[in-house]
Amino acid sequence: TFNGKIELSNIGFNGLFSGLNTTLDINNNIIRKENIPLTILGSNSTISIATTDNKFKNFYISVNSERININNISSKEKHGNSQEGTGGSRKISIPVNITGKINIRELVYDDLIFKNTSANVSASGAAVKINNMSTSILSGTISGIGTIDISDAAPSVQASLRYNNIKIHDITFKNDKLNKRLFGFADGTAKINMSLKENATEISKGNATFTITKGKVVNTGIQDGLIIFLSELRYKLKDLEFNKIYGNADIAEGNFNINSFIFNSEDLRLSINGRIDKDLIAKEMRMKLEFNNHFIKDLPRPATLAFSEYLSEKWYVIPFSINGNITDSKNIKMLKKDQ
C-alpha cells in the first residue's frame, strides 16, 4: 500500500499535449483528481483521472476541451521523434488499461467544424477503441465506433459510422463548380480504414451508402453535358428535383468506385456508375438518363422525334459516357441505344 504525493511539472508528449502541472495525492493506492488544466493541440483543456483498482493497472480518464484543431497535428506530432541510432520512429504502447470519456465542444478538421463531439474510449497496449461516438455537423449528426492502432509510426484508424440529416448544400467542395449546386438531406453509413500520414489523413479503403431526400441538382457540368445533346430539354434539365437519391460507393487510395448512384423521381431517373478520383476525374464512367412521356408532355411533337429511337416501352432510355472532369460538359458523350 502506498500513500503520498506525485508532483507533475510541465508534462507533455510529442506536441499532442503539454503544460500538465499538478499534484496527485495517493491514498491507499487510490488516485482521484478532477479538472486538471493542460493544453491539447494548442487548446486549453482539462483532464480528470482516477484509479479503478489498487494496483495502478486500471485508470479512468475524462478529457474536456472547448476546441481542438486536428489540422494543428504536424509531422512531428504524428510520427514522434526519431530514435538515435535506429533510424526508426518512436512507437507507442500503453502499459496500463484506460477507460474514459472525451468531450470536445468544437472539433476542427480541414474546413469542417464538428460540434459537441463525445466518445467513450478504452486503451491498452497499441489499441485504442472508440465507442458510442457522436457529433453534430452540417445540421445533422454522426455516430459510430472505431479502433486506432498506434503500433506503427503512422497510426491506422478503422471506423464504422452512421450519419443522419446531413445538409448537402452546406458542404464546401474543393471544386467551386459544385458549391451550392447540390441540395438535400443525407442519411447513410460509412466504413473506412485510414492512415494518419505525414501530410494528410488518407482513406485507404472504405465503403459508403447514402439516401438523399428532397434532392435537387442545379446547373452542374453533367446537366450542361446532357443539354448539349438534348437541347430540346434544356429548361427541364437545368434544375432537377428528385424524391430520393441513392448511392453506394467503394473507396480505395483516393479513388471512388461508384457502384450505384441513382436519382429517382416520378417522371425522371438518372443513374451513374464507374470510377472517379478525388479530383473528380472520371474514367469510363457510364450514365443513363430515363424519362417518360409525362416529363415531355409540353414539348412540341417534332422536338420529341430527336430522341424517339431511345423509347423502350414507356420510358426513353439514353446512355452516356463520361471521361475526364465531371464538371466539364465537354467530357460527356451521348451513346447509341443499348451501347
Side-chain angles (χ1 to χ4, degrees):
T1 301
F2 183 79
N3 294 280
K5 297 180 182 290
I6 297 178
E7 297 283 345
L8 301 178
S9 178
N10 200 28
I11 301 298
F13 181 75
N14 281 0
L16 293 175
F17 72 88
S18 61
L20 177 58
N21 298 281
T22 193
T23 299
L24 298 177
D25 293 318
I26 304 175
N27 297 303
N28 296 321
N29 286 13
I30 300 298
I31 298 173
R32 284 191 178 88
K33 187 156 189 178
E34 297 182 351
N35 301 321
I36 306 167
L38 76 165
T39 299
I40 300 177
L41 293 179
S43 297
N44 293 331
S45 308
T46 63
I47 183 171
S48 299
I49 183 171
T51 53
T52 57
D53 63 8
N54 61 0
K55 298 179 181 179
F56 301 109
K57 291 292 186 181
N58 298 286
F59 291 81
Y60 181 87
I61 294 176
S62 175
V63 177
N64 293 275
S65 184
E66 283 294 300
R67 182 181 176 92
I68 289 182
N69 191 337
I70 298 178
N71 300 315
N72 290 339
I73 300 178
S74 67
S75 169
K76 177 181 177 181
E77 290 160 356
K78 287 182 179 179
H79 287 269
N81 298 321
S82 296
Q83 295 178 347
E84 292 184 12
T86 66
S89 296
R90 180 183 299 168
K91 297 181 180 181
I92 303 171
S93 180
I94 301 171
V96 296
N97 301 315
I98 297 173
T99 59
K101 191 174 184 66
I102 296 173
N103 294 289
I104 306 169
R105 191 174 66 85
E106 286 190 349
L107 179 65
V108 182
Y109 174 66
D110 204 359
D111 295 326
L112 300 173
I113 298 177
F114 299 86
K115 295 185 177 180
N116 300 319
T117 299
S118 65
N120 295 328
V121 299
S122 60
S124 183
V128 178
K129 295 183 179 180
I130 300 172
N131 300 304
N132 300 323
M133 185 280 294
S134 65
T135 189
S136 299
I137 187 172
L138 299 171
S139 301
T141 60
I142 300 175
S143 59
I145 59 175
T147 59
I148 305 173
D149 183 351
I150 57 176
S151 64
D152 193 73
S156 61
V157 179
Q158 292 182 331
S160 179
L161 307 173
R162 177 175 294 278
Y163 50 93
N164 299 97
N165 204 47
I166 300 296
K167 190 184 290 186
I168 299 298
H169 40 291
D170 282 351
I171 297 176
T172 300
F173 294 93
K174 291 183 178 180
N175 190 311
D176 192 55
K177 292 181 179 180
L178 291 180
N179 288 324
K180 304 302 180 184
R181 307 290 180 91
L182 307 175
F183 296 82
F185 295 86
D187 298 324
T189 62
K191 293 183 178 181
I192 57 175
N193 296 348
M194 61 185 182
S195 299
L196 304 179
K197 295 188 175 182
E198 180 172 350
N199 297 316
T201 300
E202 184 177 277
I203 297 177
S204 58
K205 186 179 180 181
N207 175 269
T209 63
F210 57 86
T211 300
I212 300 174
T213 56
K214 300 178 182 178
K216 187 176 181 180
V217 183
V218 178
N219 199 26
T220 64
I222 287 179
Q223 287 155 284
D224 292 341
L226 295 175
I227 290 169
I228 290 175
F229 299 99
L230 302 172
S231 57
E232 298 84 1
L233 301 177
R234 174 179 300 275
Y235 298 106
K236 290 182 171 290
L237 293 175
K238 202 170 187 66
D239 294 348
L240 298 177
E241 295 186 10
F242 298 93
N243 300 330
K244 298 277 188 180
I245 300 174
Y246 306 95
N248 181 295
D250 294 321
I251 308 166
E253 305 296 344
N255 295 309
F256 301 85
N257 187 47
I258 300 174
N259 301 314
S260 62
F261 202 153
I262 302 170
F263 302 75
N264 200 21
S265 67
E266 187 175 348
D267 299 320
L268 179 71
R269 297 192 294 253
L270 181 67
S271 61
I272 300 173
N273 62 77
R275 293 183 64 83
I276 187 171
D277 67 17
K278 60 185 177 182
D279 297 317
L280 303 181
I281 306 300
K283 184 176 181 181
E284 296 299 331
M285 181 173 284
R286 291 303 179 104
M287 179 171 60
K288 186 165 59 178
L289 178 69
E290 304 177 55
F291 52 87
N292 57 24
N293 282 314
H294 190 264
F295 182 72
I296 58 173
K297 65 179 181 179
D298 53 348
L299 291 181
R301 184 165 180 80
T304 65
L305 294 176
F307 35 80
S308 60
E309 66 176 282
Y310 293 96
L311 182 61
S312 178
E313 296 184 354
K314 295 182 179 181
W315 288 82
Y316 295 89
V317 181
I318 307 177
F320 294 84
S321 67
I322 309 175
N323 284 285
N325 195 301
I326 65 171
T327 65
D328 192 335
S329 59
K330 76 174 188 298
N331 295 321
I332 299 175
K333 304 297 181 186
M334 186 173 173
L335 304 176
K336 295 180 179 180
K337 184 179 180 180
D338 298 326
Q339 185 173 343

